[in-house]
Amino acid sequence: MAEQAVASLEQQPVYKQELKRSLSFWDLLIYGMVFMVPIAPFGIYGSVAQGSNGMVALTYLIGMVGMIFTAFSYARMSEAFPIAGSVYSYAQRGINDSVGFIAGWLILLDYIFVPALLYLVSASALHDIVPQIPIVVWAVLFIAINTVINVRGIEFTAKANKIIVILELIVLAIFLAVGVTAIIKGINGADFTMKPLYDHSHFSMNVVMGAVSIAVLSFLGFDGISTLAEETKDGSKSIGKACVYSLLAVGALFIIQTWVAALIWPDYHAFKNPDTAFYQIAEIAGGTWLKVLTIVATAFSWGIANALVAQAAISRILYSMARDRKLPGFLAKVHPKFQTPYLSTLLIAVVSVIVTAFFSSQIGKLSSVVNFGALSSFLFLHLSVMNYFLRKKKSKNYVAHLLMPLIGFAVIGYVWINLDPLSKKLGFIWLAIGIVYLIVLKLFKKDTALNLE
């Protein structure tokens, strides 16, 4: 169990260094890119294209600009508190212990269920290609592979991430090369135009922002970098830099690939199925082989790559909350050889199997739960920046500590308001459970509260 001491603002609780410090800035950058998935638009392209009246590149540009303010807030707090726990630790120290628990509880809603969602989406895609293999079999295979990698150590995970991101970029490069060639040849009426970025005749801010509420979810994941704060060897500033740079890098890739796709298929109303629109475009551009390649790449990017880093991130949050005695203590156990929170990792594997089986035909509901948790925790993050730096530290840097988090709060708040009713209903149920649990902790385990004032 981690050692806990002191309780003043300047003298934060000191934790025993149990996790292995081995990650460089580049490891963190790649981790963030893998978490966001460089080819994420493959899976939701049709919905974004139709929702934005074809201005899909503009949608991702706005989404990237909006989310960059959240990345800046992560950078500010990770520099102030270079510890595992992400938004749980930041809200706990930036506001107070109880708010920190609620923020952590909300991010759990995202991170606990997102691996299962990723496994389910990937398994369903592969089941369509090889229907003889049940969805559950694919899901269990993915879970087993990722669990072994994550238990063996963050260095092993980092090496796997490098291989994964290279393969994703190769697939993306192939699509772009074939796609640009198709545009030059004028296949399917393709022509170079600025319309995917701005189409005056169809532009409406309300319409585009509605599409942003979908597209912005492709950027979720850069925040997972902050959970590795106790495993980086380059200092606290590398966490913030990696958050910002990974977001910018992936955002640029999102804009380029969706622009090319929009040029190949200008009539965004003519998709046979919006859920498979990108694969239709790939087939038009290069044939069946490119369609199959993009489907398989999407499946493995989500089921192996994205789920791998998601499992690593949530295990660190469970570890952080458990050592603060907000969750059962066994979740803070670290493997004696691999120096990883292995019991938290194994728990997520078990939960993923159960959730995958339960939601096997309800991907939409599972997705709604994930979205509520992520966006709600981001709101707490921005509040933490303003409260910690302005009220507690008396900062006069109003641009970094007031204006930028306010913009981030407004952007995330807009997206949050536009979440579907089911997402909010399930999210508030989860929040209510968390509040009841917090009350129980305070009534029967009063010594669990960390005095951070």
Side-chain angles (χ1 to χ4, degrees), residues 121-138:
V121 171
S122 301
S124 298
L126 291 178
H127 179 68
D128 287 339
I129 299 176
V130 189
Q132 296 83 356
I133 301 180
I135 291 177
V136 175
V137 174
W138 282 117

Side-chain angles (χ1 to χ4, degrees), residues 51 59 62 204-214 411 414-415 418:
T59 298
I62 294 175
S204 166
M205 182 55 72
N206 289 335
V207 170
V208 172
M209 290 304 292
V212 170
S213 68
I214 301 173
V411 172
Y414 179 87
V415 178
N418 284 278

Side-chain angles (χ1 to χ4, degrees), residues 1 322 327-334 341-344 347:
M1 177 64 65
L327 293 176
F330 76 90
L331 295 175
K333 294 292 184 181
V334 174
Y342 70 107
L343 292 182
S344 292
L347 175 63

Side-chain angles (χ1 to χ4, degrees), residues 178-196:
V178 175
V180 170
T181 301
I183 296 170
I184 293 174
K185 293 181 179 179
I187 292 177
N188 198 43
D191 189 20
F192 288 103
T193 174
M194 293 292 292
K195 287 185 176 181

